[in-house]
Amino acid sequence: MAARSLEIGSAGIRAARTIEILRTEQDLAQRELAELVTALGHPMSNTMLSRIECTQRRCDVDDLVLIAEALRVSPLVLLQGPNPL
């Protein structure tokens, strides 16, 4: 079976960029955010988080919800971006 192409749409790219922006605004290293997500019951390594932020890995709905919780924002904030219109 051929590997599926990794196509990340505009919402996924916006979420990835927003995660990185909010993480850095909160002065969290990728490792620290990954540890917070893991502590919430969703195992995540800093490599996984790095790949999400660099749009080399899809951010699935479980990732999105737990990353948002760890960053203390609504998942909607990650989808809309840090400065929605």
Side-chain angles (χ1 to χ4, degrees):
M1 177 184 265
R4 255 180 49 199
S5 170
L6 177 69
E7 292 183 33
I8 298 176
S10 60
I13 292 169
R14 189 169 38 256
R17 299 294 176 248
T18 304
I19 291 166
E20 182 178 16
I21 289 166
L22 294 175
R23 177 183 60 75
T24 56
E25 283 178 353
Q26 294 182 28
D27 201 29
L28 292 170
Q30 288 176 336
R31 177 188 48 77
E32 293 170 314
L33 180 54
E35 288 173 357
L36 289 171
V37 173
T38 298
L40 291 170
H42 185 70
M44 179 171 284
S45 69
N46 60 314
T47 301
M48 290 169 65
L49 181 59
S50 174
R51 288 181 179 159
I52 288 170
E53 288 184 357
C54 294
T55 64
Q56 295 174 342
R57 178 181 189 275
R58 286 183 172 275
C59 182
D60 71 23
V61 69
D62 293 322
D63 296 333
L64 185 86
V65 169
L66 275 291
I67 291 171
E69 186 174 339
L71 290 170
R72 299 180 311 268
V73 298
S74 164
L76 188 58
V77 169
L78 299 184
L79 293 172
Q80 290 181 327
N83 302 309
L85 299 175

